[in-house]
Amino acid sequence: MPQLNGNTCEIDELPDGVTVTIRVTTNSRYTQKITVTRNDEVLCVFAGSGERNAMTGQSTVVASSRAKLQAKFEYQTDINAEWLKSRQLKSGGPYTVGNYNIMVIVAENGDDSDYNDGILELSWSTPA
């Protein structure tokens, strides 16, 4: 399970050398931002808003056993407003089905309590 701390999480359960697909969706009228880093290097930043699992972005990274991925969840209530910390995170996985693996981290910004305002999905395949 990822280590959750406020509006950030550390992901350390990824197999070394696998290509991980990162997919971000939103379910909020407020703009959500998820920043993925490794060793303080920004790997990708996703920002967007929308309902019904609006696709915000997708990227890939190669996992390394020497460095954990970190994700920071933020949102803003008005255009050009300061970024606020998402209030709480929850996670699930990694789940394995055959060679396919998926892990999900969800954020709640406090306007309701459905834990789907910002959604970070990480998926990868492991060798057979």
Short mmCIF file of all heavy atoms in Angstrom, two decimals, residues 8-66:
data_model
loop_
_atom_site.label_atom_id
_atom_site.label_comp_id
_atom_site.label_asym_id
_atom_site.label_seq_id
_atom_site.Cartn_x
_atom_site.Cartn_y
_atom_site.Cartn_z
N THR A 8 -0.04 14.09 0.35
CA THR A 8 1.01 13.44 -0.43
C THR A 8 1.01 11.93 -0.17
O THR A 8 0.51 11.46 0.84
CB THR A 8 2.41 14.00 -0.10
OG1 THR A 8 2.71 13.72 1.27
CG2 THR A 8 2.49 15.48 -0.37
N CYS A 9 1.60 11.20 -1.10
CA CYS A 9 1.76 9.77 -0.90
C CYS A 9 3.09 9.33 -1.51
O CYS A 9 3.60 9.94 -2.45
CB CYS A 9 0.60 8.98 -1.49
SG CYS A 9 0.53 8.97 -3.27
N GLU A 10 3.67 8.30 -0.91
CA GLU A 10 4.88 7.66 -1.43
C GLU A 10 4.50 6.29 -1.94
O GLU A 10 3.80 5.54 -1.26
CB GLU A 10 5.94 7.52 -0.34
CG GLU A 10 6.64 8.80 -0.02
CD GLU A 10 7.88 8.58 0.85
OE1 GLU A 10 8.07 7.47 1.37
OE2 GLU A 10 8.64 9.54 0.98
N ILE A 11 4.96 5.97 -3.14
CA ILE A 11 4.64 4.71 -3.77
C ILE A 11 5.94 3.94 -3.94
O ILE A 11 6.81 4.34 -4.70
CB ILE A 11 3.97 4.96 -5.14
CG1 ILE A 11 2.74 5.84 -4.94
CG2 ILE A 11 3.64 3.66 -5.84
CD1 ILE A 11 2.39 6.71 -6.09
N ASP A 12 6.06 2.85 -3.19
CA ASP A 12 7.33 2.12 -3.19
C ASP A 12 7.19 0.65 -3.56
O ASP A 12 8.12 -0.10 -3.43
CB ASP A 12 8.02 2.25 -1.84
CG ASP A 12 7.20 1.71 -0.71
OD1 ASP A 12 6.08 1.23 -0.95
OD2 ASP A 12 7.67 1.76 0.44
N GLU A 13 6.03 0.24 -4.05
CA GLU A 13 5.79 -1.17 -4.32
C GLU A 13 5.86 -1.50 -5.81
O GLU A 13 5.33 -2.51 -6.24
CB GLU A 13 4.43 -1.58 -3.77
CG GLU A 13 4.35 -1.39 -2.27
CD GLU A 13 2.99 -1.77 -1.73
OE1 GLU A 13 2.29 -2.56 -2.37
OE2 GLU A 13 2.65 -1.27 -0.66
N LEU A 14 6.52 -0.68 -6.59
CA LEU A 14 6.61 -0.92 -8.02
C LEU A 14 7.84 -1.75 -8.34
O LEU A 14 8.93 -1.47 -7.85
CB LEU A 14 6.67 0.41 -8.76
CG LEU A 14 5.49 1.36 -8.50
CD1 LEU A 14 5.77 2.72 -9.11
CD2 LEU A 14 4.22 0.77 -9.05
N PRO A 15 7.70 -2.79 -9.17
CA PRO A 15 8.85 -3.61 -9.52
C PRO A 15 9.89 -2.81 -10.33
O PRO A 15 9.52 -2.01 -11.19
CB PRO A 15 8.26 -4.73 -10.37
CG PRO A 15 6.79 -4.69 -10.13
CD PRO A 15 6.46 -3.28 -9.74
N ASP A 16 11.14 -3.04 -10.03
CA ASP A 16 12.24 -2.33 -10.69
C ASP A 16 12.21 -2.57 -12.19
O ASP A 16 12.07 -3.70 -12.66
CB ASP A 16 13.57 -2.82 -10.10
CG ASP A 16 14.73 -1.95 -10.51
OD1 ASP A 16 14.56 -0.72 -10.57
OD2 ASP A 16 15.83 -2.50 -10.77
N GLY A 17 12.30 -1.49 -12.96
CA GLY A 17 12.43 -1.57 -14.40
C GLY A 17 11.15 -1.69 -15.19
O GLY A 17 11.19 -1.67 -16.42
N VAL A 18 9.99 -1.82 -14.53
CA VAL A 18 8.74 -1.92 -15.30
C VAL A 18 8.29 -0.52 -15.74
O VAL A 18 8.55 0.47 -15.07
CB VAL A 18 7.60 -2.61 -14.52
CG1 VAL A 18 7.98 -4.02 -14.13
CG2 VAL A 18 7.14 -1.80 -13.33
N THR A 19 7.62 -0.49 -16.87
CA THR A 19 7.03 0.75 -17.35
C THR A 19 5.65 0.89 -16.70
O THR A 19 4.80 0.01 -16.83
CB THR A 19 6.90 0.75 -18.88
OG1 THR A 19 8.22 0.64 -19.44
CG2 THR A 19 6.24 2.03 -19.38
N VAL A 20 5.46 2.00 -16.01
CA VAL A 20 4.23 2.26 -15.28
C VAL A 20 3.43 3.32 -16.03
O VAL A 20 3.97 4.38 -16.36
CB VAL A 20 4.53 2.75 -13.85
CG1 VAL A 20 3.26 3.08 -13.10
CG2 VAL A 20 5.37 1.73 -13.09
N THR A 21 2.17 3.02 -16.32
CA THR A 21 1.28 4.00 -16.92
C THR A 21 0.60 4.77 -15.80
O THR A 21 0.04 4.17 -14.87
CB THR A 21 0.23 3.33 -17.81
OG1 THR A 21 0.91 2.64 -18.86
CG2 THR A 21 -0.73 4.35 -18.40
N ILE A 22 0.67 6.08 -15.87
CA ILE A 22 0.03 6.96 -14.90
C ILE A 22 -1.14 7.63 -15.61
O ILE A 22 -0.96 8.24 -16.66
CB ILE A 22 1.01 8.03 -14.38
CG1 ILE A 22 2.21 7.38 -13.71
CG2 ILE A 22 0.31 9.01 -13.45
CD1 ILE A 22 3.32 8.35 -13.37
N ARG A 23 -2.32 7.49 -15.03
CA ARG A 23 -3.53 8.06 -15.61
C ARG A 23 -4.23 8.88 -14.53
O ARG A 23 -4.38 8.42 -13.40
CB ARG A 23 -4.43 6.93 -16.09
CG ARG A 23 -5.66 7.38 -16.79
CD ARG A 23 -6.39 6.16 -17.39
NE ARG A 23 -7.60 6.59 -18.05
CZ ARG A 23 -8.82 6.41 -17.58
NH1 ARG A 23 -9.00 5.78 -16.44
NH2 ARG A 23 -9.86 6.84 -18.23
N VAL A 24 -4.66 10.08 -14.88
CA VAL A 24 -5.32 10.97 -13.92
C VAL A 24 -6.69 11.39 -14.46
O VAL A 24 -6.81 11.79 -15.62
CB VAL A 24 -4.45 12.21 -13.62
CG1 VAL A 24 -5.20 13.22 -12.78
CG2 VAL A 24 -3.16 11.79 -12.94
N THR A 25 -7.71 11.29 -13.58
CA THR A 25 -9.05 11.74 -13.92
C THR A 25 -9.57 12.61 -12.77
O THR A 25 -9.01 12.59 -11.66
CB THR A 25 -10.01 10.57 -14.16
OG1 THR A 25 -10.02 9.72 -13.02
CG2 THR A 25 -9.60 9.77 -15.39
N THR A 26 -10.63 13.37 -13.05
CA THR A 26 -11.24 14.22 -12.02
C THR A 26 -12.75 14.04 -12.00
O THR A 26 -13.36 13.59 -12.98
CB THR A 26 -10.94 15.72 -12.25
OG1 THR A 26 -11.61 16.14 -13.43
CG2 THR A 26 -9.47 15.99 -12.36
N ASN A 27 -13.32 14.43 -10.88
CA ASN A 27 -14.77 14.47 -10.71
C ASN A 27 -15.10 15.68 -9.85
O ASN A 27 -15.70 15.57 -8.79
CB ASN A 27 -15.27 13.20 -10.01
CG ASN A 27 -15.21 12.01 -10.93
OD1 ASN A 27 -16.02 11.87 -11.82
ND2 ASN A 27 -14.22 11.15 -10.72
N SER A 28 -14.70 16.85 -10.31
CA SER A 28 -14.89 18.07 -9.53
C SER A 28 -14.94 19.28 -10.45
O SER A 28 -14.23 19.32 -11.46
CB SER A 28 -13.75 18.25 -8.53
OG SER A 28 -13.91 19.45 -7.80
N ARG A 29 -15.74 20.25 -10.06
CA ARG A 29 -15.74 21.51 -10.82
C ARG A 29 -14.49 22.32 -10.51
O ARG A 29 -14.11 23.20 -11.27
CB ARG A 29 -17.00 22.30 -10.53
CG ARG A 29 -17.06 22.86 -9.14
CD ARG A 29 -18.35 23.69 -8.95
NE ARG A 29 -18.31 24.44 -7.73
CZ ARG A 29 -18.81 24.01 -6.57
NH1 ARG A 29 -19.38 22.84 -6.50
NH2 ARG A 29 -18.72 24.77 -5.50
N TYR A 30 -13.85 22.04 -9.37
CA TYR A 30 -12.61 22.72 -9.01
C TYR A 30 -11.44 22.08 -9.76
O TYR A 30 -11.40 20.87 -9.96
CB TYR A 30 -12.34 22.62 -7.51
CG TYR A 30 -13.38 23.27 -6.64
CD1 TYR A 30 -13.81 22.65 -5.49
CD2 TYR A 30 -13.92 24.51 -6.95
CE1 TYR A 30 -14.76 23.24 -4.67
CE2 TYR A 30 -14.87 25.11 -6.14
CZ TYR A 30 -15.28 24.47 -5.01
OH TYR A 30 -16.22 25.05 -4.20
N THR A 31 -10.47 22.90 -10.14
CA THR A 31 -9.29 22.38 -10.82
C THR A 31 -8.45 21.56 -9.84
O THR A 31 -8.12 22.03 -8.76
CB THR A 31 -8.45 23.53 -11.40
OG1 THR A 31 -9.27 24.26 -12.32
CG2 THR A 31 -7.23 23.00 -12.12
N GLN A 32 -8.13 20.35 -10.24
CA GLN A 32 -7.31 19.44 -9.45
C GLN A 32 -5.92 19.42 -10.07
O GLN A 32 -5.77 19.50 -11.29
CB GLN A 32 -7.89 18.03 -9.49
CG GLN A 32 -9.35 17.94 -9.09
CD GLN A 32 -9.59 18.26 -7.64
OE1 GLN A 32 -8.96 17.71 -6.75
NE2 GLN A 32 -10.50 19.19 -7.39
N LYS A 33 -4.89 19.28 -9.23
CA LYS A 33 -3.52 19.17 -9.73
C LYS A 33 -2.84 18.03 -8.99
O LYS A 33 -2.88 17.96 -7.76
CB LYS A 33 -2.74 20.46 -9.53
CG LYS A 33 -1.30 20.36 -10.05
CD LYS A 33 -0.61 21.71 -10.10
CE LYS A 33 -0.03 22.09 -8.77
NZ LYS A 33 0.89 23.25 -8.86
N ILE A 34 -2.23 17.13 -9.74
CA ILE A 34 -1.45 16.04 -9.17
C ILE A 34 -0.05 16.12 -9.77
O ILE A 34 0.11 16.10 -11.00
CB ILE A 34 -2.09 14.67 -9.46
CG1 ILE A 34 -3.50 14.62 -8.87
CG2 ILE A 34 -1.21 13.55 -8.91
CD1 ILE A 34 -4.28 13.36 -9.22
N THR A 35 0.95 16.22 -8.89
CA THR A 35 2.35 16.30 -9.30
C THR A 35 3.04 15.02 -8.88
O THR A 35 3.02 14.66 -7.71
CB THR A 35 3.02 17.52 -8.63
OG1 THR A 35 2.28 18.70 -8.94
CG2 THR A 35 4.46 17.67 -9.10
N VAL A 36 3.67 14.34 -9.85
CA VAL A 36 4.39 13.10 -9.58
C VAL A 36 5.88 13.39 -9.67
O VAL A 36 6.36 13.94 -10.67
CB VAL A 36 3.99 11.99 -10.57
CG1 VAL A 36 4.76 10.71 -10.30
CG2 VAL A 36 2.48 11.74 -10.51
N THR A 37 6.61 13.03 -8.60
CA THR A 37 8.05 13.28 -8.54
C THR A 37 8.80 12.00 -8.15
O THR A 37 8.22 11.05 -7.64
CB THR A 37 8.39 14.38 -7.51
OG1 THR A 37 7.95 13.95 -6.22
CG2 THR A 37 7.73 15.70 -7.85
N ARG A 38 10.11 12.03 -8.38
CA ARG A 38 11.02 11.00 -7.89
C ARG A 38 12.32 11.72 -7.53
O ARG A 38 12.88 12.43 -8.36
CB ARG A 38 11.26 9.93 -8.97
CG ARG A 38 12.23 8.86 -8.51
CD ARG A 38 12.33 7.68 -9.46
NE ARG A 38 12.37 8.06 -10.85
CZ ARG A 38 11.85 7.32 -11.83
NH1 ARG A 38 11.25 6.18 -11.58
NH2 ARG A 38 11.93 7.74 -13.08
N ASN A 39 12.76 11.55 -6.29
CA ASN A 39 13.97 12.24 -5.82
C ASN A 39 13.92 13.74 -6.10
O ASN A 39 14.87 14.32 -6.60
CB ASN A 39 15.23 11.64 -6.45
CG ASN A 39 15.52 10.25 -5.96
OD1 ASN A 39 15.03 9.83 -4.91
ND2 ASN A 39 16.30 9.51 -6.71
N ASP A 40 12.80 14.35 -5.82
CA ASP A 40 12.58 15.79 -6.01
C ASP A 40 12.60 16.24 -7.47
O ASP A 40 12.56 17.42 -7.75
CB ASP A 40 13.60 16.62 -5.20
CG ASP A 40 13.44 16.41 -3.72
OD1 ASP A 40 12.29 16.24 -3.26
OD2 ASP A 40 14.46 16.39 -3.00
N GLU A 41 12.66 15.30 -8.41
CA GLU A 41 12.57 15.63 -9.83
C GLU A 41 11.11 15.46 -10.27
O GLU A 41 10.52 14.40 -10.07
CB GLU A 41 13.45 14.71 -10.67
CG GLU A 41 13.30 14.92 -12.16
CD GLU A 41 13.98 13.84 -12.99
OE1 GLU A 41 14.65 12.96 -12.43
OE2 GLU A 41 13.79 13.88 -14.21
N VAL A 42 10.54 16.51 -10.84
CA VAL A 42 9.16 16.44 -11.32
C VAL A 42 9.14 15.59 -12.59
O VAL A 42 9.81 15.90 -13.57
CB VAL A 42 8.59 17.85 -11.59
CG1 VAL A 42 7.21 17.76 -12.22
CG2 VAL A 42 8.54 18.65 -10.30
N LEU A 43 8.36 14.51 -12.54
CA LEU A 43 8.23 13.62 -13.70
C LEU A 43 7.03 14.02 -14.55
O LEU A 43 7.08 13.94 -15.77
CB LEU A 43 8.08 12.17 -13.25
CG LEU A 43 9.23 11.60 -12.42
CD1 LEU A 43 8.92 10.19 -11.97
CD2 LEU A 43 10.53 11.64 -13.21
N CYS A 44 5.93 14.41 -13.91
CA CYS A 44 4.74 14.84 -14.65
C CYS A 44 3.82 15.62 -13.72
O CYS A 44 3.79 15.40 -12.51
CB CYS A 44 4.01 13.68 -15.30
SG CYS A 44 3.82 12.20 -14.31
N VAL A 45 3.08 16.54 -14.33
CA VAL A 45 2.09 17.35 -13.62
C VAL A 45 0.80 17.29 -14.43
O VAL A 45 0.82 17.52 -15.64
CB VAL A 45 2.54 18.82 -13.47
CG1 VAL A 45 1.47 19.64 -12.77
CG2 VAL A 45 3.87 18.92 -12.74
N PHE A 46 -0.29 16.98 -13.75
CA PHE A 46 -1.60 16.92 -14.39
C PHE A 46 -2.50 17.94 -13.71
O PHE A 46 -2.54 18.00 -12.48
CB PHE A 46 -2.21 15.53 -14.23
CG PHE A 46 -1.34 14.43 -14.73
CD1 PHE A 46 -0.54 13.71 -13.86
CD2 PHE A 46 -1.32 14.10 -16.08
CE1 PHE A 46 0.26 12.68 -14.30
CE2 PHE A 46 -0.51 13.07 -16.54
CZ PHE A 46 0.28 12.36 -15.65
N ALA A 47 -3.23 18.73 -14.49
CA ALA A 47 -4.17 19.69 -13.91
C ALA A 47 -5.40 19.75 -14.80
O ALA A 47 -5.29 19.79 -16.03
CB ALA A 47 -3.54 21.07 -13.77
N GLY A 48 -6.56 19.74 -14.16
CA GLY A 48 -7.79 19.84 -14.92
C GLY A 48 -9.00 19.72 -14.01
O GLY A 48 -8.87 19.46 -12.81
N SER A 49 -10.16 19.88 -14.58
CA SER A 49 -11.41 19.76 -13.83
C SER A 49 -12.44 19.10 -14.73
O SER A 49 -12.26 18.98 -15.94
CB SER A 49 -11.90 21.13 -13.36
OG SER A 49 -12.20 21.94 -14.48
N GLY A 50 -13.51 18.68 -14.12
CA GLY A 50 -14.60 18.08 -14.87
C GLY A 50 -15.23 16.95 -14.08
O GLY A 50 -14.66 16.45 -13.12
N GLU A 51 -16.41 16.57 -14.50
CA GLU A 51 -17.17 15.52 -13.84
C GLU A 51 -17.11 14.23 -14.66
O GLU A 51 -16.60 14.22 -15.77
CB GLU A 51 -18.62 15.96 -13.66
CG GLU A 51 -18.78 17.22 -12.82
CD GLU A 51 -18.51 17.00 -11.33
OE1 GLU A 51 -18.55 15.85 -10.87
OE2 GLU A 51 -18.29 18.00 -10.63
N ARG A 52 -17.62 13.16 -14.09
CA ARG A 52 -17.73 11.85 -14.75
C ARG A 52 -16.38 11.32 -15.22
O ARG A 52 -16.23 10.93 -16.37
CB ARG A 52 -18.73 11.90 -15.88
CG ARG A 52 -20.16 12.16 -15.38
CD ARG A 52 -21.16 12.06 -16.46
NE ARG A 52 -21.96 13.14 -16.94
CZ ARG A 52 -22.17 14.34 -16.45
NH1 ARG A 52 -21.57 14.73 -15.41
NH2 ARG A 52 -22.99 15.20 -17.00
N ASN A 53 -15.41 11.32 -14.32
CA ASN A 53 -14.07 10.81 -14.62
C ASN A 53 -13.44 11.49 -15.83
O ASN A 53 -12.93 10.84 -16.74
CB ASN A 53 -14.09 9.29 -14.81
CG ASN A 53 -14.39 8.57 -13.52
OD1 ASN A 53 -13.86 8.92 -12.47
ND2 ASN A 53 -15.26 7.58 -13.58
N ALA A 54 -13.49 12.82 -15.84
CA ALA A 54 -12.88 13.59 -16.93
C ALA A 54 -11.39 13.29 -16.99
O ALA A 54 -10.68 13.39 -15.99
CB ALA A 54 -13.13 15.08 -16.71
N MET A 55 -10.91 12.91 -18.15
CA MET A 55 -9.50 12.57 -18.33
C MET A 55 -8.66 13.84 -18.26
O MET A 55 -8.89 14.80 -18.99
CB MET A 55 -9.31 11.89 -19.69
CG MET A 55 -7.91 11.44 -19.94
SD MET A 55 -7.48 10.09 -18.83
CE MET A 55 -6.05 9.47 -19.64
N THR A 56 -7.71 13.85 -17.34
CA THR A 56 -6.83 15.00 -17.17
C THR A 56 -5.50 14.77 -17.86
O THR A 56 -4.88 15.70 -18.33
CB THR A 56 -6.62 15.28 -15.67
OG1 THR A 56 -7.89 15.51 -15.08
CG2 THR A 56 -5.75 16.50 -15.44
N GLY A 57 -5.04 13.52 -17.90
CA GLY A 57 -3.79 13.24 -18.58
C GLY A 57 -3.29 11.84 -18.34
O GLY A 57 -3.81 11.11 -17.49
N GLN A 58 -2.28 11.50 -19.12
CA GLN A 58 -1.66 10.18 -19.01
C GLN A 58 -0.20 10.30 -19.37
O GLN A 58 0.18 11.09 -20.22
CB GLN A 58 -2.38 9.21 -19.96
CG GLN A 58 -1.87 7.80 -19.90
CD GLN A 58 -2.75 6.85 -20.68
OE1 GLN A 58 -3.96 6.87 -20.55
NE2 GLN A 58 -2.13 6.03 -21.52
N SER A 59 0.62 9.49 -18.71
CA SER A 59 2.06 9.48 -18.97
C SER A 59 2.61 8.11 -18.59
O SER A 59 1.88 7.27 -18.05
CB SER A 59 2.75 10.58 -18.13
OG SER A 59 4.10 10.68 -18.48
N THR A 60 3.87 7.88 -18.87
CA THR A 60 4.53 6.65 -18.44
C THR A 60 5.87 7.00 -17.79
O THR A 60 6.50 8.00 -18.14
CB THR A 60 4.79 5.67 -19.60
OG1 THR A 60 5.60 6.31 -20.58
CG2 THR A 60 3.50 5.18 -20.22
N VAL A 61 6.28 6.18 -16.82
CA VAL A 61 7.58 6.29 -16.18
C VAL A 61 8.12 4.88 -16.01
O VAL A 61 7.36 3.91 -15.97
CB VAL A 61 7.53 7.01 -14.81
CG1 VAL A 61 7.02 8.43 -14.96
CG2 VAL A 61 6.68 6.25 -13.82
N VAL A 62 9.43 4.77 -15.89
CA VAL A 62 10.05 3.49 -15.59
C VAL A 62 10.33 3.46 -14.10
O VAL A 62 10.98 4.37 -13.57
CB VAL A 62 11.34 3.28 -16.42
CG1 VAL A 62 12.02 1.99 -16.02
CG2 VAL A 62 11.01 3.27 -17.91
N ALA A 63 9.83 2.42 -13.42
CA ALA A 63 9.99 2.31 -11.97
C ALA A 63 11.43 1.97 -11.62
O ALA A 63 12.13 1.29 -12.37
CB ALA A 63 9.05 1.25 -11.43
N SER A 64 11.85 2.45 -10.47
CA SER A 64 13.19 2.16 -9.97
C SER A 64 13.10 1.74 -8.51
O SER A 64 12.47 2.43 -7.71
CB SER A 64 14.08 3.41 -10.08
OG SER A 64 15.31 3.20 -9.43
N SER A 65 13.72 0.64 -8.17
CA SER A 65 13.70 0.17 -6.78
C SER A 65 14.52 1.08 -5.87
O SER A 65 14.38 1.03 -4.65
CB SER A 65 14.21 -1.27 -6.69
OG SER A 65 15.55 -1.34 -7.14
N ARG A 66 15.36 1.91 -6.45
CA ARG A 66 16.21 2.81 -5.65
C ARG A 66 15.52 4.11 -5.28
O ARG A 66 16.02 4.87 -4.45
CB ARG A 66 17.50 3.11 -6.41
CG ARG A 66 18.37 1.89 -6.65
CD ARG A 66 19.57 2.27 -7.47
NE ARG A 66 19.15 2.95 -8.69
CZ ARG A 66 19.34 2.48 -9.91
NH1 ARG A 66 19.94 1.36 -10.09
NH2 ARG A 66 18.93 3.15 -10.94
#
